[in-house]
Amino acid sequence: MSNQLYDLAEQLEKAIRACHDFQQLKQAYEAVRQDEMAYRLFTNFRDAQMRMHEKQLTGAEIFPEEVEHAQKAMILAQQNEKLSQLMALEQRMSMLLADIQRIAMKPLEELYRSFMETE
Amino acid sequence: MSNQLYDLAEQLEKAIRACHDFQQLKQAYEAVRQDEMAYRLFTNFRDAQMRMHEKQLTGAEIFPEEVEHAQKAMILAQQNEKLSQLMALEQRMSMLLADIQRIAMKPLEELYRSFMETE
Ligand SMILES: [Ca+2]
Ligand SMILES: [Ca+2]
């Protein structure tokens, strides 16, 4: 990789680590980790999501009880204040990272689009 | 988004646009665009890939003839010098972008990993 790109990627890494949104997210994870109930609700929710996701990827049958269980786990997680806070911060961080990605990928996107338009 | 992150994303965009790999890729696309045969082989290949990909996403049946057609289109494309050049440059660009992504995503990756490890 060119040194300039490598340097910029590392600067971006440091800036993400230092930014307010990331620091808040880190604190929210810490708060969940130190709260037995929040932590259990979170892992239940995440494990249910992951099991369903794996089944989707492998094309295995997802039973109605599993969907119901995952929905219940999500509702219980959302009702927990520390977890609803964590999820809101996760979403904000996702949007921020998607913005960065969108800006940095513009050259490629333009290249493909201009190639398509010539058809 | 914080101004610093926004600025770095824009610097990264400019650096990608200016880098040697991107300029070579752009020239390779231009060379294909100006070569009737290469262009036709490329669009045949890409259209066959896209049809199969859409079917995969929607779960529609993919017929053996379609797989065969896509394979033939790929072989024909790879045998074209301008297209094999384009594909090699595409792959190099993908690896470069994956490197950038991996570096910039380190803070999040570390955050999730340290949370998981506490289980
Ligand atoms: Ca504990
Ligand atoms: Ca033409």
Side-chain angles (χ1 to χ4, degrees):
Chain A
M1 202 194 304
S2 89
N3 274 337
Q4 205 205 343
L5 285 174
Y6 194 81
D7 284 350
L8 282 170
E10 292 201 332
Q11 282 181 50
L12 196 55
E13 188 216 326
K14 285 194 186 72
I16 289 170
R17 211 183 283 280
C19 83
H20 183 65
D21 286 353
F22 181 76
Q23 288 302 321
Q24 279 200 306
L25 183 62
K26 200 174 166 180
Q27 281 164 22
Y29 269 111
E30 193 54 38
V32 169
R33 200 165 64 140
Q34 303 199 348
D35 180 327
E36 198 77 28
M37 176 58 83
Y39 192 77
R40 193 174 307 187
L41 288 170
F42 180 84
T43 53
N44 277 346
F45 163 61
R46 196 202 51 202
D47 293 351
Q49 293 281 91
M50 274 170 61
R51 275 196 301 273
M52 298 223 321
H53 188 59
E54 273 172 29
K55 283 197 160 189
Q56 277 172 339
L57 288 179
T58 58
E61 190 182 356
I62 299 171
F63 301 105
E65 304 86 63
E66 286 178 295
V67 178
E68 209 182 316
H69 173 74
Q71 282 170 344
K72 273 189 190 150
M74 188 179 70
I75 289 166
L76 285 172
Q78 283 169 340
Q79 284 169 349
N80 180 284
E81 204 181 330
K82 290 199 180 84
L83 289 177
S84 64
Q85 170 77 346
L86 178 66
M87 288 174 191
L89 291 168
E90 274 289 358
Q91 200 178 350
R92 206 159 77 189
M93 180 57 66
S94 295
M95 284 167 62
L96 192 155
L97 296 174
D99 269 353
I100 293 173
Q101 174 98 353
R102 187 182 45 74
I103 293 168
M105 291 305 110
K106 259 190 219 166
L108 271 296
E109 197 211 297
E110 284 172 20
L111 181 58
Y112 300 142
R113 198 174 51 219
S114 86
F115 188 72
M116 301 297 204
E117 277 167 2
T118 60
E119 285 183 39
Chain B
M1 201 192 308
S2 91
N3 273 337
Q4 204 205 343
L5 285 174
Y6 194 81
D7 284 350
L8 282 171
E10 291 201 331
Q11 281 181 50
L12 196 56
E13 187 216 327
K14 285 193 184 71
I16 289 170
R17 211 183 282 278
C19 83
H20 184 63
D21 287 352
F22 181 76
Q23 288 301 321
Q24 278 200 306
L25 183 63
K26 200 174 166 181
Q27 280 164 23
Y29 268 111
E30 193 54 39
V32 169
R33 200 168 61 144
Q34 302 200 348
D35 180 327
E36 199 76 28
M37 176 58 83
Y39 191 78
R40 193 173 309 186
L41 289 169
F42 180 83
T43 53
N44 276 348
F45 164 61
R46 196 203 51 203
D47 292 351
Q49 294 281 92
M50 274 171 62
R51 275 196 301 272
M52 297 223 323
H53 188 61
E54 273 172 30
K55 283 196 161 191
Q56 276 172 341
L57 288 179
T58 58
E61 190 181 357
I62 298 172
F63 300 105
E65 305 86 63
E66 286 178 295
V67 178
E68 211 183 314
H69 173 73
Q71 282 170 343
K72 274 189 190 150
M74 188 178 69
I75 289 165
L76 286 172
Q78 283 170 339
Q79 284 169 348
N80 181 283
E81 205 181 329
K82 291 201 179 84
L83 289 178
S84 65
Q85 170 77 346
L86 178 66
M87 288 174 190
L89 291 167
E90 275 288 359
Q91 199 177 349
R92 206 160 74 189
M93 181 56 67
S94 295
M95 284 166 63
L96 193 153
L97 297 175
D99 270 353
I100 294 173
Q101 175 98 352
R102 185 182 46 74
I103 294 168
M105 288 307 109
K106 260 190 221 167
L108 271 297
E109 197 212 294
E110 284 172 20
L111 181 58
Y112 300 142
R113 199 174 49 219
S114 85
F115 189 72
M116 300 297 204
E117 277 166 3
T118 60
E119 283 183 41

